[in-house]
């Protein structure tokens, strides 16, 4: 069975601080995908990144960066120089490596990030 | 613009009534999904569909029903058998079955309150 753990439930930072959101996963599969989604107060989940288990390269996109470490089953997300607009709930998710809709997403419980001005 | 539409944004019902939540997509995606989100919880899968006229139960299907008569539409009915229907419901879709794009794209959600 797959499992995603986001141990941090709420994080509060002051604008311009860096913040890291942790994600630890469990799976028996040797190939899988990991995702991060952002849920702003409006409610819609916004896709941020997909990472497959073959590729452990870290990725940077503007102020966002992701650190994938297969050895520790972690896929952490760092926001550099946080802004008020980053305030949202962030979900980490895991997918089996199968074709079709059977490749279901397993979500963590989410981390509520509050960035204060 | 392409996207996923869910209506209405807020829905109120009396206990014992069935209610249908709408989900429409114009992304030409094959697969569609329904999730339920409760406060402080992640998303839990209710039903999913890979193709028209076919759907499968997710992790918490009891008290819910779906149909997939058209590729663009995947309505969810919350029946009176669902013991705790008050929640935020999210619809999602995914590109074709052979696509390597495993990420799902989400609609804006419907917040259902049953009293």
């Amino acid at each position: 069975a797959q499992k995603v753990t986001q141990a941090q439930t709420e994080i509060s930072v002051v604008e311009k601080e860096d913040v890291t959101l942790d994600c630890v996963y469990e799976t028996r599969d040797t190939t899988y995908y990991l995702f991060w989604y952002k849920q702003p107060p409006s409610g819609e989940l916004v896709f941020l990144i997909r990472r497959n288990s073959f590729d452990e390269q870290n990725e940077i996109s503007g102020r966002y960066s992701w650190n994938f470490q297969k050895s520790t089953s972690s896929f952490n997300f760092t926001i550099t120089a946080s802004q008020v607009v980053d305030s949202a709930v962030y979900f980490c998710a895991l997918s089996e490596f199968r074709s079709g809709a059977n490749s279901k997403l397993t979500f963590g419980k989410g981390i509520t990030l509050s960035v204060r001005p | 613009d392409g996207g996923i539409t869910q209506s209405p944004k807020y829905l109120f019902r009396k206990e014992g009534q069935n209610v249908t939540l709408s989900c429409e997509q114009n992304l030409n995606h094959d697969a569609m999904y329904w999730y339920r989100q409760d406060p402080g919880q992640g998303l839990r899968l209710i039903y999913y569909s890979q193709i028209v006229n076919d759907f499968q139960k997710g992790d918490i299907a009891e008290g819910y029903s779906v149909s997939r008569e058209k590729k663009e539409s995947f309505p969810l009915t919350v029946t009176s058998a669902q013991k705790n229907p008050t929640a935020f419901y999210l619809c999602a879709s995914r590109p074709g079955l052979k696509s390597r794009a495993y990420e799902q794209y989400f609609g804006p959600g419907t917040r259902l309150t049953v009293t």
Side-chain angles (χ1 to χ4, degrees):
Chain A
Q2 299 185 113
K3 185 178 179 182
V4 175
T5 301
Q6 296 181 262
Q8 305 151 309
T9 54
E10 296 183 19
I11 299 175
S12 182
V13 298
V14 177
E15 207 169 17
K16 297 184 183 177
E17 282 186 29
D18 299 346
V19 58
T20 295
L21 311 181
D22 298 333
C23 174
V24 174
Y25 62 92
E26 296 175 28
T27 179
R28 293 181 182 176
D29 294 338
T30 55
T31 52
Y32 48 87
Y33 283 106
L34 294 161
F35 307 83
W36 275 95
Y37 283 87
K38 174 182 179 179
Q39 187 178 40
S42 61
E44 181 173 346
L45 263 74
V46 177
F47 166 68
L48 295 177
I49 190 171
R50 175 189 75 214
R51 171 66 64 198
N52 69 53
S53 54
F54 309 132
D55 184 2
E56 290 195 64
Q57 269 193 333
N58 291 332
E59 181 153 343
I60 298 174
S61 176
R63 296 185 297 107
Y64 295 172
S65 61
W66 290 269
N67 181 10
F68 175 35
Q69 293 199 345
K70 214 167 178 177
S71 60
T72 56
S73 297
S74 65
F75 185 44
N76 297 337
F77 173 28
T78 297
I79 302 175
T80 303
S82 60
Q83 299 177 2
V84 173
V85 293
D86 296 326
S87 297
V89 181
Y90 290 87
F91 291 97
C92 180
L94 170 68
S95 172
E96 304 155 311
F97 194 79
R98 294 180 197 168
S99 62
N102 287 330
S103 57
K104 295 178 285 185
L105 290 179
T106 299
F107 285 85
K109 292 189 176 182
I111 302 170
T112 300
L113 174 64
S114 299
V115 181
R116 309 186 305 276
Chain B
D1 287 353
I4 302 173
T5 304
Q6 290 185 247
S7 60
K9 181 73 172 175
Y10 299 94
L11 193 52
F12 299 88
R13 280 294 182 271
K14 295 289 187 184
E15 195 173 330
Q17 293 179 337
N18 291 354
V19 59
T20 297
L21 281 59
S22 165
C23 178
E24 304 278 334
Q25 55 99 358
N26 60 4
L27 300 167
N28 199 32
H29 287 175
D30 288 313
M32 296 187 74
Y33 307 79
W34 274 106
Y35 292 90
R36 170 183 172 136
Q37 184 180 16
D38 295 284
Q41 300 294 316
L43 277 67
R44 293 184 291 168
L45 182 64
I46 304 172
Y47 267 98
Y48 62 100
S49 168
Q50 300 186 69
I51 200 168
V52 174
N53 293 322
D54 181 65
F55 47 83
Q56 287 81 40
K57 293 181 180 179
D59 301 319
I60 55 164
E62 185 175 350
Y64 299 98
S65 66
V66 294
S67 64
R68 186 88 187 273
E69 297 177 1
K70 298 186 300 181
K71 187 176 184 177
E72 305 79 29
S73 179
F74 191 40
L76 173 74
T77 296
V78 184
T79 74
S80 56
Q82 169 50 232
K83 295 180 181 177
N84 296 297
T86 295
F88 188 52
Y89 291 88
L90 286 155
C91 178
S93 69
R94 224 199 85 182
L97 301 182
K98 296 182 180 179
S99 169
R100 288 295 191 96
Y102 281 68
E103 59 271 18
Q104 295 176 15
Y105 295 90
F106 286 81
T110 292
R111 192 167 298 279
L112 173 64
T113 302
V114 177
T115 57

